[in-house]
Amino acid sequence: MSELFYPLQSLREGRWFKLICGASYQHLPAVRSLALAFALAGADCIDVAADPAVIGVARAAIALAEELGQAAQARGFAYQGAPWLMVSFNDGEDPHFRKATFDPRQCPPDCSRPCESICPAQAIVFEPAEKTLWHDHAQERSGVVSDRCYGCGRCLPVCPLQHITTRAYVSTPAEVATLVLQAGVDAVEIHTQVGRLTDFQRLWKAIAPWVHRLQAVAISCPDGDGLSDYLWALHDTIAPLPCALIWQMDGRPMSGDIGAGTTHATIKLAQKVLALRLPGYLQLAGGTNHYTVPKLRQLNLLQTPPLPKARSHLRQWLCCEQNARPQAPATIAGVAYGSYARALLLPILNQLETTEMTDSFLPSEANPGTSRTCGSAQAEPPLPLEAVSSLLWQAVELADSLVAQLKSPQQPAMSMPLV
């Protein structure tokens, strides 16, 4: 079967795995490393910010994963081919599309800086004045590191002065056309909320002319009053589709790294939406972590029918099946991981930033086109993940610990409290 259809196969079999790098996360070295590690571990989709630079590094990581795919398979990882590259857009205010901001000059010297300690992305820093010749230079390097912030909002309530705010943005139709047409992404995701049908239709009008170029369209929506009618209205707006339709159930946004209990919200929402019998595929997000798949298995929510015998027209078969109304999916097609997946690899990413060039560099196996040399005293960006063999495969192993929950043969359900 062609690699192009491998993610579709995963959707149908209930083995779909998506990595969410973050709709506002623009730290290029981290996005590249995350995309590479999870692609080699067998991810079906990499979801990134709708930013040309971010899209570029993610595409480069996916291409590199294709070169290293056989090495990953030899190590027992589930790599089967290039994952889809997805970009996220929003039709209005959304916590995924914002960044924190504050003026560090307003911070009193004796502040305990709880914002810095609570930030999961290490996006809030305070540069000591004594490290620089002039105090103003230290202030310039203090505050929110914009490209690292992904809008979780955990810093907002803990600030003693309550002077941390957020700046949000909304996708424009021009951005959609440019990125889908010129960047060649495989899928798009629209973040919406109940009551924003007019805004959704405005954004969809910009996407519709290019949808024939896509492998999938995903819609992410949290719970709310009138959710059933709203989701059906969205379906009627976009149907029929020439590609896969994925409903992302965002139970508790950007919370998977907080604790095991956060997975309950997304499963409850999924159970609610399953009852609607919407055409398409249901995928969990928001609060997902290592407990999500075992819980789904315990509730028999990942059991799906087998694939049909003839696979040569799988894409056409899947799309025709999901556009037939009414559809009655009884199970979850897959799971997306955001903050939990990023936190899982954060120790590796931090170690990579402080690692100097050594003989572990793999110019032939991992990155034949690089010009970086050992012993260079010139200030350089962080090493690429593939430059340090030990860290590369440690990162893939960590990613695999999450991906394998969906990709490996079903294991007996863990003993967990019911949702």
Side-chain angles (χ1 to χ4, degrees):
M1 182 174 174
S2 170
E3 291 180 355
L4 176 65
F5 300 134
Y6 175 70
L8 282 172
Q9 180 184 5
S10 295
L11 278 171
R12 177 60 181 170
E13 294 181 341
R15 300 185 296 108
W16 166 265
F17 183 103
K18 185 175 84 169
L19 167 69
I20 304 173
C21 289
S24 295
Y25 193 58
Q26 297 166 302
H27 187 49
L28 301 185
V31 169
R32 186 181 185 279
S33 295
L34 288 164
L36 176 59
F38 276 93
L40 289 172
D44 297 290
C45 184
I46 309 293
D47 186 355
V48 300
D51 176 280
V54 176
I55 293 172
V57 298
R59 289 191 69 86
I62 291 172
L64 179 57
E66 291 187 88
E67 297 180 26
L68 294 174
Q70 289 186 345
Q73 291 172 339
R75 291 172 178 263
F77 299 118
Y79 182 82
Q80 294 293 323
W84 289 342
L85 181 59
M86 175 182 285
V87 295
S88 292
F89 301 102
N90 60 327
D91 62 9
E93 291 290 326
D94 189 286
H96 298 88
F97 296 80
R98 67 180 184 181
K99 291 182 182 291
T101 183
F102 68 92
D103 185 352
R105 292 172 296 184
Q106 297 181 12
C107 300
D110 60 347
C111 181
S112 62
R113 299 170 181 171
C115 60
E116 183 179 22
S117 59
I118 203 172
C119 179
Q122 299 179 352
I124 297 179
V125 298
F126 289 90
E127 184 73 16
E130 60 269 17
K131 286 190 176 182
T132 60
L133 183 61
W134 303 105
H135 179 72
D136 287 344
H137 292 170
Q139 292 291 355
E140 289 173 3
R141 291 199 290 270
S142 297
V144 177
V145 182
S146 181
D147 63 354
R148 291 180 181 267
C149 178
Y150 59 85
C152 70
R154 299 179 202 176
C155 59
L156 301 178
V158 302
C159 175
L161 300 181
Q162 294 294 291
H163 79 276
I164 301 179
T165 59
T166 60
R167 51 184 176 87
Y169 58 94
V170 178
S171 305
T172 67
E175 290 174 326
V176 175
T178 299
L179 288 173
V180 173
L181 180 61
Q182 297 182 3
V185 299
D186 303 301
V188 298
E189 181 169 274
I190 305 172
H191 288 249
T192 188
Q193 294 181 22
V194 176
R196 294 213 298 240
L197 183 59
T198 299
D199 295 323
F200 180 92
Q201 291 171 334
R202 170 194 62 84
L203 187 57
W204 180 250
K205 185 177 180 180
I207 294 174
W210 314 111
V211 73
H212 65 282
R213 297 172 177 259
L214 301 175
Q215 301 295 327
V217 170
I219 296 176
S220 179
C221 187
D223 201 357
D225 293 336
L227 178 66
S228 174
D229 290 340
Y230 186 64
L231 294 184
W232 274 114
L234 296 181
H235 170 267
D236 293 343
T237 297
I238 66 177
L241 283 178
C243 60
L245 170 60
I246 302 170
W247 300 96
Q248 176 168 287
M249 298 298 98
D250 201 357
R252 185 175 172 183
M254 297 176 286
S255 66
D257 58 322
I258 294 177
T262 60
T263 200
H264 292 181
T266 187
I267 292 181
K268 284 183 177 179
L269 179 56
Q271 291 172 316
K272 177 178 180 178
V273 176
L274 280 173
L276 304 182
R277 305 195 183 284
L278 287 161
Y281 302 94
L282 269 62
Q283 169 227 283
L284 304 191
T288 52
N289 49 42
H290 257 110
Y291 290 86
T292 304
V293 170
K295 187 63 185 176
L296 289 173
R297 295 205 188 283
Q298 184 188 50
L299 297 173
N300 293 322
L301 291 177
L302 278 178
Q303 294 179 359
T304 55
L307 277 171
K309 293 181 180 179
R311 297 186 175 186
S312 58
H313 302 290
L314 178 62
R315 183 171 188 243
Q316 180 181 0
W317 178 79
L318 289 172
C319 296
C320 291
E321 178 196 59
Q322 71 179 5
N323 281 309
R325 181 177 181 178
Q327 171 78 0
T331 54
I332 302 301
V335 183
Y337 300 86
S339 57
Y340 186 84
R342 296 190 294 266
L344 191 64
L345 264 63
L346 188 59
I348 298 293
L349 303 184
N350 288 341
Q351 188 175 350
L352 189 65
E353 290 188 355
T354 59
T355 299
E356 297 181 357
M357 182 61 67
T358 69
D359 291 338
S360 299
F361 182 43
L362 301 175
S364 58
E365 178 186 358
N367 194 3
T370 186
S371 60
R372 184 164 182 163
T373 58
C374 297
S376 173
Q378 183 179 0
E380 302 252 8
L383 284 173
L385 180 58
E386 71 276 10
V388 186
S389 179
S390 59
L391 292 183
L392 169 64
W393 298 114
Q394 285 178 47
V396 179
E397 185 172 0
L398 285 171
D400 178 73
S401 70
L402 207 54
V403 177
Q405 289 188 329
L406 281 165
K407 300 297 184 182
S408 298
Q410 180 171 334
Q411 301 296 322
M414 293 174 58
S415 176
M416 299 177 64
L418 290 175
V419 174

